[in-house]
Amino acid sequence: MGPLSARLLMQRGRPKSDRLGKIRSLDLSGLKLLSEDLDPKLLCRLKQLQELDLSNNQLETLPANLGLSHLRILRCANNQLGDVTALCQFPQLEELSLEGNPFLTVSDNLKVSFLLPNLRKVNGKDASSTCSQVENLNRELTSRVTAHWEKFVASQSPEEGAKKAQADFVRSAVRDVRYGPESLSEFTQWRVRMISEELVASSGTQVQEADIQERSSKATAAQESRARPVALKRPDDVPLSLPPNKRVCTSPLAQVEGSPVGSEGSRSALKLEPLHFLQCHSKNNSPQDLETQLWACAFEPAWEEGYTGATSQTVATCGGESVCVIDCQTGIVLHKYKAPGEEFFSVAWTALTVVTQAGHKKRWSVLAAAGLRGQVRLLHVRAGFCCGVIRAHKRAIATLCFSPTHETQLFTASYDKRIILWDIGTPNDDYEFQASQLLTLDTTSTPLRLCPVASCPNDYLLAGCEGGCCCWDVRLDQPRKRRVCEVEFIFSEGSEASGRRVDGLAFVNKDVVASKGNGLGTICLWSWSQTWVGRGSQPTVAVVVLAWLQWSPTKLAYLSLSTCPADEETVLCGDEEGNVWIYDVRHVLTQQPPLPAAPQAPTQILKWPQPRALSQTVTKTMVNTVVANPTLTYLTALTDSNIVAIWKRH
């Protein structure tokens, strides 16, 4: 579609007229319009226009000077908008539709409410609750920025230049003033910058809370300072209701038992406070549901480039027929996806670089979820919809993981005793995936855990299986597309013997592997490089054990362990009593042979909170999965009694 013409506007406008100034309603939907096709000089002649439909086009931005001051209804669904600040030019707007713009976030929803004082409906829903949230955030941010200003002024020397000091203040406020969940950080930083600049312009006079009627004029100056979109959260306007039965625990610091291992290299026990206990996977949102089994969780990686120390507080959990995405700080379920008749067993994250129709690159967070039906669902978390289904296996999928080096490559492991490597590709213009199969790996027993080898993830894949621990060559430059196990790892007496189930598997660092079975009461730490060097051409090889860690002697299976890759020294594992075993393995990995006769004790055991912290009906539960984010700030545990437990490190 080329630039708009006056003739086209009169053809698609209502009421029919030969004068643009008399048109009140205009339908420009489905014309494949680009942003540059919206000519302000032409559109500003629509002096009486009150309703405009721009849905189903290819708009990435709206021109800032369209001159439609009387516009009351605007439909922009199914475009590629990444910025909403241009909406401030429509101060009379009452109804707005933005569904199907995958690059808009929950922060953009709040910006819309701030910029448009007369807004009544967004995406067909009442906007009053969002307006109230914006007012509360604005009040608190104003107070915090003002307090920051007072501290900043007190610390400044008299000889420092005023302009430089003011610029330094704005930068420090944007960097240091924080409030609300991470999912709203783009909005809060946007507002902090605006408030700071207003404060500087008023020479330090106390800034009062922004009046609703003044919002649109204030927003214009801040439009250029908008941070780039980050693919982290879903908008809150997706038509999915949040479970009303979220349990929040505000008990004191979690009870800890067990002592440090007794080495100078061992750190003290972590101080972890229980924050939230959620029942977000309950059937029909029933608080009485303590039976839905929760299986897996994974923290969303921090995809922002150039941000030192970036880490995520967003975790995905799965169990029953639903997948939930949770903000750990607030305990808010940001997104809930349901598939009736499914039982989800595994989730995994990736980030895709998507090129828009206008040639611009965008970053998407995609969550893969799979389970009983043998299908992989690819969820666009930020926009809140399922954008692809891979019919991967004829039997249930036990686990899945993305390649750490190739963002589109996905391993799926099934009860059909096969592991398949897929290339999910990137979505097309309709946000659809076309996956292709790259490799098939045959197993002799059901694969339970997948783990690309940390030092060479493009070459080898480890899998913990019902029958032991196996390794495959996954190099794509090799001719065979169907492969059998390259080597089986066996463990010395007292650990997993050959043919024994391995239901926990993870790399502690580039070389050290942590693995476990059930009924043995230990976790094994072994060296990948030393084991592989000693392999030769044998189909089986004994692992080179570095240490044994004491764990529960339970005979219950499928209690998974995890590690903290950025930390490179922490191993985590739940047990049948609801405890979380935490190991600081730094000194263990540096000890010289011979190995101690007794397994190394955990650094600490995080006890399940007392019954009063939850419900009298939940006195004991099994923790089958526990995962921490890279900086060990948040820890999430899943139980067999339908509870997601979240702790925060102090």
Side-chain angles (χ1 to χ4, degrees):
M1 180 69 189
L4 297 174
S5 65
R7 180 179 179 182
L8 178 65
L9 298 188
M10 288 186 286
Q11 287 176 345
R12 300 181 72 103
R14 297 290 185 274
K16 289 292 186 180
S17 174
D18 57 357
R19 296 178 59 184
L20 295 179
K22 292 187 176 181
I23 294 176
R24 292 179 177 272
S25 176
L26 180 61
D27 182 1
L28 297 179
S29 63
L31 297 178
K32 298 184 178 180
L33 294 173
L34 302 176
S35 299
E36 53 267 28
D37 295 331
L38 300 180
D39 183 3
K41 292 182 179 179
L42 176 63
L43 294 175
C44 71
R45 294 165 58 186
L46 300 166
K47 300 295 185 182
Q48 301 300 318
L49 190 67
Q50 296 186 10
E51 182 175 352
L52 176 61
D53 191 345
L54 295 171
S55 302
N56 302 304
N57 286 297
Q58 299 171 16
L59 304 176
E60 294 191 357
T61 60
L62 292 176
N65 54 346
L66 292 178
L68 305 176
S69 58
H70 296 287
L71 198 65
R72 296 181 181 276
I73 300 174
L74 176 61
R75 300 185 180 92
C76 292
N78 301 318
N79 280 280
Q80 298 184 29
L81 295 176
D83 186 6
V84 297
T85 51
L87 295 173
C88 66
Q89 65 183 298
F90 309 126
Q92 303 302 317
L93 206 63
E94 297 178 359
E95 296 185 21
L96 177 65
S97 175
L98 293 172
E99 304 106 320
N101 284 277
F103 304 115
L104 295 182
T105 69
V106 62
S107 289
D108 291 305
N109 293 338
L110 299 182
K111 289 181 182 180
V112 164
S113 293
F114 179 82
L115 295 170
L116 302 173
N118 294 319
L119 199 63
R120 295 185 297 104
K121 288 187 176 182
V122 178
N123 299 328
K125 295 182 178 180
D126 183 78
S128 58
S129 61
T130 305
C131 289
S132 298
Q133 184 181 13
V134 168
E135 290 173 3
N136 292 334
L137 286 170
N138 192 61
R139 184 183 303 108
E140 182 64 28
L141 291 174
T142 300
S143 173
R144 294 187 179 215
V145 172
T146 303
H148 187 73
W149 168 260
E150 293 171 353
K151 292 180 181 179
F152 183 86
V153 170
S155 65
Q156 294 301 299
S157 58
E159 59 272 11
E160 189 167 358
K163 288 187 177 179
K164 182 180 183 302
Q166 291 173 350
D168 289 345
F169 166 68
V170 174
R171 283 194 295 269
S172 69
V174 173
R175 182 185 66 242
D176 298 334
V177 176
R178 292 287 184 269
Y179 181 68
E182 181 183 324
S183 56
L184 306 183
S185 61
E186 187 185 345
F187 171 78
T188 55
Q189 291 181 26
W190 178 75
R191 279 296 295 137
V192 164
R193 179 178 293 277
M194 293 172 67
I195 295 169
S196 302
E197 291 173 348
E198 293 165 11
L199 192 56
V200 167
S202 64
S203 300
T205 304
Q206 178 77 20
V207 178
Q208 301 299 320
E209 181 180 348
D211 184 81
I212 293 178
Q213 299 299 327
E214 298 174 355
R215 290 176 180 170
S216 59
S217 61
K218 290 179 181 178
T220 305
Q223 184 172 344
E224 295 181 357
S225 66
R226 180 186 185 273
R228 66 179 176 84
V230 291
L232 289 177
K233 308 294 184 299
R234 67 172 283 268
D236 58 5
D237 52 37
V238 176
L240 295 171
S241 59
L242 300 182
N245 50 315
K246 179 173 71 71
R247 299 178 181 178
V248 180
C249 170
T250 56
S251 59
L253 291 181
Q255 181 182 353
V256 174
E257 72 174 25
S259 57
V261 180
S263 167
E264 294 180 358
S266 179
R267 67 184 171 210
S268 59
L270 300 174
K271 294 183 179 180
L272 293 162
E273 176 188 8
L275 282 185
H276 310 288
F277 293 87
L278 318 178
Q279 282 184 282
C280 47
H281 293 271
S282 299
K283 296 177 182 176
N284 302 317
N285 291 336
S286 171
Q288 307 305 316
D289 178 10
L290 299 176
E291 297 180 356
T292 295
Q293 178 75 58
L294 307 185
W295 289 107
C297 59
F299 275 91
E300 179 181 19
W303 306 116
E304 295 176 90
E305 299 176 359
Y307 178 56
T308 304
T311 187
S312 173
Q313 63 186 39
T314 307
V315 67
T317 61
C318 71
E321 63 182 13
S322 63
V323 174
C324 294
V325 178
I326 303 167
D327 183 280
C328 288
Q329 179 178 341
T330 62
I332 294 174
V333 179
L334 302 171
H335 170 66
K336 185 172 183 178
Y337 175 80
K338 285 187 176 182
E342 178 66 278
E343 182 174 5
F344 288 105
F345 295 151
S346 187
V347 288
W349 292 93
T350 190
L352 303 180
T353 300
V354 179
V355 179
T356 68
Q357 292 169 336
H360 299 157
K361 292 184 178 180
K362 302 285 186 179
R363 197 74 165 158
W364 274 20
S365 265
V366 173
L367 180 66
L372 186 64
R373 290 184 172 181
Q375 300 175 349
V376 179
R377 287 172 168 79
L378 301 172
L379 309 179
H380 186 342
V381 175
R382 195 173 174 198
F385 60 85
C386 178
C387 49
V389 177
I390 304 172
R391 289 167 175 81
H393 298 268
K394 293 182 178 180
R395 298 191 64 186
I397 295 175
T399 187
L400 47 75
C401 75
F402 279 98
S403 163
T405 54
H406 297 283
E407 61 188 26
T408 64
Q409 290 184 8
L410 174 68
F411 290 97
T412 60
S414 171
Y415 285 84
D416 62 11
K417 300 181 182 179
R418 290 178 182 175
I419 300 170
I420 297 179
L421 174 59
W422 303 86
D423 188 336
I424 65 171
T426 54
N428 59 24
D429 294 343
D430 296 321
Y431 311 110
E432 297 172 342
F433 286 88
Q434 296 294 328
S436 59
Q437 187 171 324
L438 301 178
L439 287 177
T440 299
L441 311 176
D442 290 323
T443 70
T444 57
S445 60
T446 302
L448 304 173
R449 311 292 176 209
L450 297 179
C451 196
V453 174
S455 59
C456 47
N458 298 329
D459 297 344
Y460 296 102
L461 175 74
L462 288 181
C465 304
E466 288 283 0
C469 184
C470 300
C471 178
W472 287 264
D473 183 338
V474 294
R475 290 174 291 181
L476 295 177
D477 58 358
Q478 303 299 306
R480 290 180 296 120
K481 299 305 179 185
R482 185 158 192 164
R483 303 173 188 178
V484 296
C485 172
E486 186 92 356
V487 62
E488 180 182 355
F489 297 106
I490 58 175
F491 297 80
S492 59
E493 187 176 354
S495 74
E496 303 97 329
S498 178
R500 181 72 67 90
R501 175 190 297 120
V502 175
D503 57 9
L505 187 69
F507 272 85
V508 179
N509 54 33
K510 289 290 185 180
D511 180 56
V512 178
V513 186
S515 63
K516 62 166 281 292
N518 59 297
L520 302 170
T522 57
I523 294 172
C524 180
L525 300 183
W526 53 281
S527 169
W528 158 263
S529 61
Q530 295 179 50
T531 301
W532 194 251
V533 166
R535 171 206 171 207
S537 58
Q538 300 300 315
T540 62
V541 59
V543 301
V544 177
V545 177
L546 302 177
W548 298 103
L549 305 179
Q550 177 189 351
W551 184 64
S552 169
T554 179
K555 293 188 180 298
L556 292 174
Y558 315 122
L559 304 180
S560 180
L561 63 77
S562 68
T563 59
C564 204
D567 185 77
E568 293 194 353
E569 58 192 30
T570 302
V571 178
L572 306 164
C573 194
D575 71 11
E576 78 287 0
E577 298 291 332
N579 303 318
V580 175
W581 298 60
I582 303 176
Y583 306 86
D584 174 6
V585 299
R586 283 180 297 179
H587 81 286
V588 176
L589 298 179
T590 57
Q591 63 189 358
Q592 298 298 317
L595 298 178
Q600 303 294 300
T603 307
Q604 68 188 96
I605 298 178
L606 189 65
K607 302 291 289 184
W608 186 254
Q610 297 300 316
R612 68 177 187 278
L614 291 171
S615 165
Q616 294 299 324
T617 60
V618 187
T619 58
K620 191 175 290 187
T621 188
M622 179 175 69
V623 173
N624 52 34
T625 300
V626 56
V627 176
N629 69 341
T631 57
L632 268 174
T633 308
Y634 294 97
L635 185 149
T636 300
L638 305 185
T639 75
D640 64 337
S641 53
N642 187 29
I643 295 172
V644 179
I646 299 173
W647 283 268
K648 183 177 182 180
R649 182 180 179 182
H650 276 238

